[in-house]
Amino acid sequence: MLESHAPTGPIDKSWDNHRFNLKLVNPANKRKYSVLVVGTGLAGASAAASLAELGYHVKAFCIHDSPRRAHSIAAQGGINAAKNYPNDGDSIWRLFYDTVKGGDYRAREANVYRLAQVSNHIIDQCVSQGVPFAREYSGYLANRSFGGAQVSRTFYARGQTGQQLLLGAYQAMMAQVQKGKVELLPRREMMDIVVVDGAARGIVTRNLVTGKMERFDGDAVVLATGGYGNAFFLSTNAKASNVTAAWRCHKRGAFFANPCYTQIHPTCIPVSGSHQSKLTLMSESLRNDGRVWVPKDPSDKRAASDIPDQDRDYYLERRYPSFGNLVPRDVASRAAKAVCDDGRGVGNSGLSVYLDFRDAIKRDSEDLIREKYGNLFHMYEKITGENPYKVPMRIFPAVHYTMGGLWVDYNLMSNLPGLFVLGEANFSDHGANRLGASALMQGLADGYFVAPYTIGGYLANTKLAPLDTTHPAFDDVNREVENQTQKLLNVDGKRTVDDFHRELGRLLWDNCGMARSQASLKKVLDEVPALRENFWRDVSVTGSEGELNQVLERAGRVADFLEFAEVMARDALTREESCGGHFREEHQTKEGEAKRNDDDFCHVAAWEFKGLGNTPTLHKEPLTFDNVPLTQRSYK
Amino acid sequence: MTNGLNLKLKIWRQKNQSSDGQLKDYHVKDISPDMSFLEMLDTLNEELESNGEEPVAFEHDCREGICGSCSMVVNGKPHGPERGTTVCQLHMRRFSDGDTLVIEPWRAKAFPIIKDLVVERSAFDRIIAAGGFITARTGSAPDGNAVQIPKEHAELAMDAAACIGCGACVAACKNASAMLFVAAKVSHLSLLPQGKVEARKRVLDMVKVMDQEGFGNCTNTQACEVECPKEIKIENIARLNREWIKASAAARDV
């Protein structure tokens, strides 16, 4: 049985009590510990900065040329906090409640409560760092609304909130680099983790410029390497986002929790052709003012502006009158799929719906809409060549975020002692569906306000034998990694890495995407091993090992996606219910809403690796809901 | 594809930092006008890869114009011909059938070429480390609304903070000056009340490192503003100069 170490007792006191109970490291001793932070997005950079401020010696690794490139930077809409500045009835409890409900009752209550509690400190912290949040004319902070909430609790910096928050964390980290407290190692890809006496003690990285394998030892390893959405090839993730670091940890013993929980974001720019290399998100904040619709009649092929209101179906407003266009993402995505399946989708492919600002422009003026969403409208026009001030945007759901990730306890430590997992890379706070503007909140909560305490607690409580990178465990891992690299280069096949990746993505999107069934998931489990075999027989990896080699980088990541895909499908097949982003066609209500099975599946599914080709072992962490009663989610 | 473009490409190929590079000719056929510029390069690279040839190395990541990774000069212009657009957001509908496109890396002493179109921009990180931050130890912050910030100041700060650190300003400048990059950060932080405390030290330290890294001086050609994909204004450079003069004078006082 998995032990979450979540405190018992009143939930509003649990984090305070837990912090008090964590052992402390003496300030003078902190500098004797070294922590390896892998990934420098919101979670990694904020953790690296905060740990270094405390006095730990930190090494921070990123695959980019600069930590500022991490994909957190692309988050547009905002960050939630329970400040209640608008006086509309928000509170820590309400943010906690909305997040548990939004996650379809598949998150750990104590974690979510803590997240809501520290949310307010995040805003304070970021304002102090100089994050230029939007302001009212009064000079006070402005808020807007996001899906799944009926209060305005989202703080934002135009459509570039992620960028500004990341730059804040990056700058805080760089200040520590200057002080010599953080050693920054850019253009390094973590290839594997080194486990000694059952604890995470180091990593092996590939220097992406020289191609050399490098070894680093530490007293704890922090993984903040993001999600696995790029398994689908087409997603809103950046091209370099990958599962490799998390997957390698999984293969060394860390459990992978709820890999089937994938968020399909409803407002993305539709696919335009087979050349498509990635998809672009249009912020959910657009649903504050844009209205989603399709023609009532499938044969109605008139231009959008020629279709009068009585012939339009504003299907979200019709189906969910109380939340309207601001229903949570999973609900909005499935509704879009339903109208497209119904033959009412628009655009050449029939795979898109309108997001229309006509009424908002009439009500508020084009200038005001430009002030709120100018950069998003600009981006839309650049990509599609259409002017959204004049014609409605066309949108379609796309893979965006992954709620699943490495299993962690309340301390954000995986079952592998000394391995802490932060941000999107862990599974912890969003249950089966993440609410908009909550990813930034969680990444920064983990990095600024949770891990710096809990890592201290671990170090103070653990006796670690001294070691360095000459330890035989490092030799073994190093050899394995080098062998895999050589193996990739030696295949000498004909098909490109992207070609394999695209085929995997198509298979997953069609069979393990917005809707899943027993048959479709079995198909994935049948076909992935064959595709993987093909990959290792016929992939073309050009160039050599000892240089900058982007093909080799991608090949290694795709090789891992080809292994990971199986556990995602297996988890989806095993979870015989629909919840949040996991929609099993066999389990739906008469109205087509997700139907949970709390009797059998009110648990976290954590998978233990048992060797490639072998069925992984399932460990269950039961979830109890003492504070937010389990109910059928309704946004009607 | 009926209205696909056929293009001639002249691309800078360079094996590594120490070897010589040269422009090499390629052809791509049937390019969809809906493709992004990088997708056009993907198409070329896939063809090269399936022939066992080494693809063109270039930096890219978010492909949404925000990470600042992509960095190439197209027909003499950093990020290509479209104003206010990163090359990842440049679409092929901007070009015509039969066009010749010359594609080169950023060229600046402070940005050495690593391979093909990939350059090393860590000099920017070192400038930020020197002072491009507001010190706010985690946990020490007062309530977010404790200090009112006039909306127009917040907006101006945000205009400057929108910099993506791509280096196009340096690539556009005949002096390879990084003044627009440094000015954007100095402006962003000095326009906010939180940033005032460290303002003097910040500007002096950042400018010092900027000079050490080998970036050139600003001679007000304004090329940086024209080519900046985020349309950062050179009035920020004026602000940087004012801040620097103020700080230098004050440094002499004490």
Side-chain angles (χ1 to χ4, degrees):
Chain A
M1 176 105 109
L2 284 167
E3 180 44 65
S4 73
H5 298 114
T8 48
I11 199 160
D12 56 340
K13 298 279 181 291
S14 56
W15 177 230
D16 284 348
N17 290 338
H18 187 77
R19 276 195 300 176
F20 180 71
N21 291 328
L22 284 171
K23 275 181 122 179
L24 296 174
V25 180
N26 174 311
N29 283 341
K30 286 192 179 119
R31 71 175 72 97
K32 294 179 189 159
Y33 288 107
S34 114
V35 182
L36 309 177
V37 178
V38 186
T40 56
L42 285 178
S46 59
S50 304
L51 286 163
E53 285 168 9
L54 287 170
Y56 296 106
H57 187 75
V58 176
K59 288 192 175 77
F61 301 83
C62 69
I63 50 174
H64 299 97
D65 63 326
S66 163
R68 64 180 295 153
R69 316 264 184 238
H71 194 51
S72 306
I73 206 153
Q76 299 168 355
I79 175 164
N80 287 329
K83 285 284 194 186
N84 193 34
Y85 288 153
N87 194 31
D88 55 0
D90 203 6
S91 62
I92 289 169
W93 194 272
R94 189 177 294 280
L95 175 54
F96 160 61
Y97 175 92
D98 286 349
T99 307
V100 170
K101 177 186 170 194
D104 216 353
Y105 305 91
R106 290 293 175 263
R108 199 187 280 147
E109 268 194 339
N111 283 56
V112 180
Y113 193 86
R114 174 177 65 189
L115 177 68
Q117 248 175 330
V118 303
S119 69
N120 291 339
H121 302 304
I122 297 170
I123 301 304
D124 303 340
Q125 178 65 27
C126 295
V127 167
S128 285
Q129 290 171 342
V131 170
F133 283 121
R135 303 253 161 193
E136 309 282 359
Y137 280 105
S138 62
Y140 289 122
L141 291 159
N143 288 107
R144 61 183 169 204
S145 305
F146 254 62
Q150 288 174 313
V151 293
S152 272
R153 63 160 70 101
T154 305
F155 295 79
Y156 61 100
R158 291 192 194 147
Q160 293 123 278
T161 317
Q163 178 197 28
Q164 295 309 315
L165 297 174
L166 180 65
L167 293 180
Y170 154 74
Q171 289 164 196
M173 180 174 74
M174 293 312 288
Q176 298 301 317
V177 169
Q178 189 77 350
K179 287 184 171 161
K181 290 290 187 186
V182 173
E183 187 183 338
L184 181 66
L185 294 132
R187 295 194 193 270
R188 303 301 203 289
E189 179 156 13
M190 172 173 154
M191 305 304 290
D192 216 329
I193 188 161
V194 180
V195 181
V196 178
D197 297 335
R201 293 302 303 273
I203 61 173
V204 171
T205 64
R206 181 168 178 272
N207 180 320
L208 298 182
V209 177
T210 64
K212 287 206 172 64
M213 296 299 166
E214 300 168 333
R215 307 160 171 204
F216 300 90
D217 60 87
D219 299 297
V221 176
V222 175
L223 212 63
T225 50
Y228 47 83
N230 270 350
F232 291 84
F233 184 71
L234 285 182
S235 84
T236 67
N237 285 8
K239 293 297 285 178
S241 302
N242 68 78
V243 78
T244 290
W247 186 247
R248 298 301 172 92
C249 292
H250 176 61
K251 288 175 86 171
R252 301 258 173 218
F255 295 168
F256 215 112
N258 302 332
C260 78
Y261 293 160
T262 309
Q263 178 159 84
I264 316 274
H265 195 294
T267 51
C268 300
I269 299 179
V271 175
S272 74
S274 58
H275 58 266
Q276 194 96 28
S277 61
K278 74 153 293 192
L279 296 169
T280 303
L281 171 80
M282 289 282 105
S283 167
E284 175 163 318
S285 61
L286 293 168
R287 287 196 274 143
N288 271 303
D289 286 299
R291 299 178 68 194
V292 178
W293 66 277
V294 290
K296 281 184 180 160
D297 179 357
S299 64
D300 192 341
K301 297 296 171 209
R302 286 176 288 180
S305 54
D306 296 336
I307 302 180
D309 263 358
Q310 70 267 18
D311 294 337
R312 299 178 172 195
D313 179 12
Y314 292 96
Y315 59 87
L316 290 176
E317 296 170 29
R318 172 174 57 79
R319 285 178 64 179
Y320 309 100
S322 71
F323 280 69
N325 293 295
L326 281 174
V327 289
R329 292 174 175 176
D330 55 334
V331 178
S333 290
R334 274 197 294 279
K337 180 177 187 293
V339 294
C340 291
D341 288 349
D342 206 17
R344 295 192 290 146
V346 298
N348 289 335
S349 62
L351 287 176
S352 60
V353 299
Y354 290 126
L355 177 64
D356 198 338
F357 292 85
R358 181 197 64 181
D359 297 346
I361 289 170
K362 219 184 286 167
R363 182 187 68 223
D364 293 339
S365 84
E366 192 171 312
D367 283 346
L368 194 76
I369 294 299
R370 181 169 285 111
E371 189 190 315
K372 279 188 181 165
Y373 311 114
N375 68 318
L376 298 171
F377 277 48
H378 190 51
M379 181 158 80
Y380 181 87
E381 186 170 1
K382 266 187 229 170
I383 293 173
T384 62
E386 291 172 0
N387 176 355
Y389 294 102
K390 302 287 172 230
V391 297
M393 286 184 180
R394 287 185 305 107
I395 53 164
F396 197 65
V399 173
H400 176 58
Y401 184 89
T402 53
M403 284 73 66
L406 291 183
W407 182 87
V408 288
D409 66 4
Y410 187 70
N411 293 315
L412 305 182
M413 189 166 85
S414 80
N415 59 302
L416 206 58
L419 174 65
F420 291 80
V421 190
L422 275 52
E424 190 180 353
N426 74 27
F427 87 102
S428 70
D429 295 359
H430 306 297
N433 173 57
R434 178 176 65 75
L435 289 180
S438 285
L440 304 185
M441 172 172 69
Q442 185 226 334
L444 291 180
D446 289 0
Y448 282 132
F449 296 111
V450 180
Y453 293 102
T454 59
I455 291 172
Y458 165 75
L459 294 173
N461 230 347
T462 313
K463 267 240 162 320
L464 293 167
L467 61 74
D468 62 27
T469 55
T470 58
H471 191 283
F474 280 88
D475 295 334
D476 294 345
V477 171
N478 199 95
R479 196 174 323 111
E480 284 175 43
V481 171
E482 274 177 356
N483 285 347
Q484 156 129 356
T485 304
Q486 271 316 322
K487 205 172 140 200
L488 281 170
L489 286 162
N490 290 343
V491 176
D492 200 23
K494 289 275 167 264
R495 276 180 74 184
T496 63
V497 174
D498 275 7
D499 198 31
F500 280 105
H501 197 175
R502 243 182 248 118
E503 186 176 338
L504 173 69
R506 187 83 233 172
L507 179 70
L508 292 177
W509 177 250
D510 289 344
N511 299 290
C512 192
M514 268 193 284
R516 297 135 178 213
S517 67
Q518 192 183 62
S520 75
L521 294 165
K522 284 193 168 153
K523 184 175 152 78
V524 174
L525 288 174
D526 279 348
E527 292 186 12
V528 166
L531 183 60
R532 192 166 57 226
E533 221 169 275
N534 251 329
F535 173 88
W536 283 103
R537 215 177 26 234
D538 199 22
V539 71
S540 157
V541 183
T542 55
S544 67
E545 185 191 342
E547 60 174 343
L548 176 74
N549 186 341
Q550 295 175 326
V551 185
L552 179 63
E553 292 168 28
R554 276 186 284 127
R557 295 166 196 163
V558 172
D560 287 334
F561 279 132
L562 282 164
E563 296 183 5
F564 165 77
E566 269 186 273
V567 76
M568 178 157 78
R570 181 164 310 280
D571 186 43
L573 180 65
T574 310
R575 189 167 282 279
E576 289 280 356
E577 63 165 350
S578 294
C579 58
H582 169 64
F583 191 75
R584 283 284 300 267
E585 283 167 348
E586 300 93 332
H587 306 290
Q588 51 182 311
T589 65
K590 264 194 235 100
E591 298 91 24
E593 306 291 347
K595 195 167 155 202
R596 287 200 324 266
N597 174 355
D598 292 332
D599 290 340
D600 300 318
F601 291 96
C602 197
H603 61 247
V604 176
W607 297 90
E608 180 184 2
F609 188 73
K610 285 289 178 192
L612 204 56
N614 298 330
T615 308
T617 304
L618 174 62
H619 300 267
K620 295 176 184 175
E621 179 200 332
L623 293 169
T624 50
F625 291 88
D626 302 325
N627 298 281
V628 185
L630 280 163
T631 47
Q632 185 69 39
R633 223 162 41 129
S634 167
Y635 292 94
K636 295 184 186 295
Chain B
M1 189 105 11
T2 47
N3 51 352
L5 310 174
N6 298 311
L7 303 164
K8 186 175 173 193
L9 309 175
K10 293 171 106 56
I11 304 179
W12 186 262
R13 301 303 306 262
Q14 180 171 335
K15 186 142 184 61
N16 54 46
Q17 199 171 332
S18 52
S19 61
D20 290 334
Q22 57 174 336
L23 285 171
K24 238 186 125 181
D25 289 350
Y26 299 94
H27 287 91
V28 285
K29 291 193 211 68
D30 246 358
I31 294 298
S32 159
D34 288 331
M35 272 186 197
S36 70
F37 195 87
L38 300 189
E39 284 166 348
M40 182 274 292
L41 285 180
D42 289 343
T43 309
L44 169 69
N45 276 348
E46 283 218 61
E47 200 184 303
L48 292 175
E49 281 171 52
S50 27
N51 296 333
E53 292 174 54
E54 264 215 70
V56 180
F58 63 91
E59 301 236 60
H60 64 96
D61 197 24
C62 76
R63 299 199 175 197
E64 295 179 16
I66 192 78
C67 74
S69 294
C70 61
S71 47
M72 56 188 85
V73 176
V74 182
N75 289 348
K77 287 177 178 294
H79 290 299
E82 200 160 300
R83 291 286 285 265
T85 305
T86 54
V87 73
C88 67
Q89 293 279 280
L90 177 64
H91 280 68
M92 296 312 291
R93 63 180 78 92
R94 193 72 176 62
F95 299 97
S96 310
D97 191 38
D99 279 357
T100 298
L101 307 178
V102 182
I103 307 170
E104 298 169 274
W106 284 176
R107 294 197 188 276
K109 188 174 126 201
F111 291 163
I113 295 174
I114 295 178
K115 184 178 187 174
D116 296 342
L117 305 174
V118 178
V119 300
E120 180 59 41
R121 287 170 286 186
S122 52
F124 273 8
D125 289 325
R126 291 188 288 275
I127 295 174
I128 296 295
F133 50 81
I134 293 172
T135 305
R137 201 186 165 88
T138 302
S140 59
D143 186 84
N145 260 346
V147 179
Q148 286 157 281
I149 299 177
K151 185 178 168 69
E152 53 272 31
H153 292 190
E155 295 290 332
L156 270 180
M158 182 62 219
D159 288 343
C163 169
I164 57 174
C166 65
C169 47
V170 176
C173 179
K174 64 180 175 131
N175 308 322
S177 167
M179 283 286 270
L180 192 64
F181 169 77
V182 176
K185 189 46 66 187
V186 166
S187 287
H188 159 210
L189 300 177
S190 67
L191 279 161
L192 298 169
Q194 309 91 301
K196 302 265 188 240
V197 177
E198 295 165 295
R200 288 175 179 174
K201 184 169 160 44
R202 172 184 311 122
V203 68
L204 294 176
D205 290 350
M206 289 179 76
V207 167
K208 192 172 147 201
V209 172
M210 174 183 84
D211 291 342
Q212 282 167 359
E213 291 288 344
F215 292 104
N217 292 322
C218 173
T219 50
N220 279 313
T221 67
Q222 309 184 12
C224 53
E225 179 182 294
V226 175
E227 300 300 346
C228 173
K230 296 294 141 181
E231 304 183 301
I232 308 278
K233 299 273 180 291
I234 58 155
E235 66 185 43
N236 291 298
I237 296 184
R239 191 175 293 109
L240 167 64
N241 285 330
R242 280 202 303 277
E243 290 287 326
W244 189 83
I245 289 166
K246 265 195 316 200
S248 305
R252 278 195 295 274
D253 284 348
V254 283

